[in-house]
Amino acid sequence: MFASTVKPIAGDKPAQYRRLLDQARVLFEGESDSLANAANLAALLYHGLPDLNWAGFYFRRGNDLVLGPFQGLPACVRIPLGRGVCGSAAQSGQVLSVPDVNAYPGHIACDAHSRSEIVIPLERGGEVIGVLDLDSPKLARFDADDETGLAAFAALWLEMSRTEL
């Protein structure tokens, strides 16, 4: 259904994010299953944005983040809160964009090809329930346009996904 339309386009990032967000709305239409929506969103972002080598979710289980649906190479399964980029973003509840992961203290290298990373916390009811994580093999791949665009995807996922994880 979306395979022919989910191709990265160069140029205007805000327009690219709007186009992909429209596709996500169609994918989520009538579906409230959190896991199914996370799987589709990970695939949409991975195939729809340029220069990614990983896109996916980690969900909070106690004091850890546990791997959820993703696209890319196999990943770390469990990340303690406060560790690495994902664990730090989850603990602080703040977006964390790292232009060079090799310079980030405590970075957890799941894929040695990752050079930059952005993590968007997923907050429901005042609590971080997980993160949306994107990695790139390019240094400084992520900017303010990516943060804004990805925050919109996180908000849509939170709005449409209502089942327990």
Side-chain angles (χ1 to χ4, degrees):
M1 173 165 143
F2 286 88
S4 64
T5 60
V6 180
K7 293 181 182 175
I9 58 172
D12 183 6
K13 275 189 187 181
Q16 183 177 38
Y17 277 108
R18 285 190 301 273
R19 177 180 63 91
L20 288 172
L21 196 60
D22 287 343
Q23 291 182 19
R25 284 186 184 100
V26 172
L27 283 172
F28 293 172
E29 189 174 314
E31 184 54 65
S32 64
D33 188 273
S34 299
L35 199 57
N37 287 340
N40 266 336
L41 184 54
L44 181 70
L45 293 172
Y46 183 80
H47 292 285
L49 294 174
D51 303 318
L52 296 183
N53 62 327
W54 203 89
F57 290 82
Y58 281 91
F59 295 113
R60 188 167 179 178
R61 300 287 185 266
N63 290 320
D64 291 330
L65 294 172
V66 176
L67 183 64
F70 71 92
Q71 296 281 306
L73 292 177
C76 304
V77 173
R78 192 170 292 271
I79 299 172
L81 290 180
R83 265 205 74 220
V85 182
C86 287
S88 296
Q91 187 173 54
S92 71
Q94 301 295 313
V95 172
L96 190 50
S97 182
V98 178
D100 181 355
V101 295
N102 293 324
Y104 187 83
H107 174 252
I108 301 169
C110 296
D111 180 347
H113 295 101
S114 292
R115 298 300 310 275
S116 60
E117 183 172 6
I118 188 168
V119 179
I120 312 293
L122 304 168
E123 188 177 311
R124 181 176 284 148
E127 179 182 345
V128 174
I129 63 166
V131 297
L132 173 60
D133 178 28
L134 281 78
D135 293 5
S136 174
K138 289 191 165 193
L139 285 171
R141 156 66 178 84
F142 305 104
D143 61 19
D145 287 336
D146 294 296
E147 183 175 334
T148 300
L150 294 168
F153 280 102
L156 179 64
W157 181 84
L158 285 161
E159 174 189 340
M160 300 302 293
S161 302
R162 291 293 171 196
T163 61
E164 288 295 317
L165 292 166

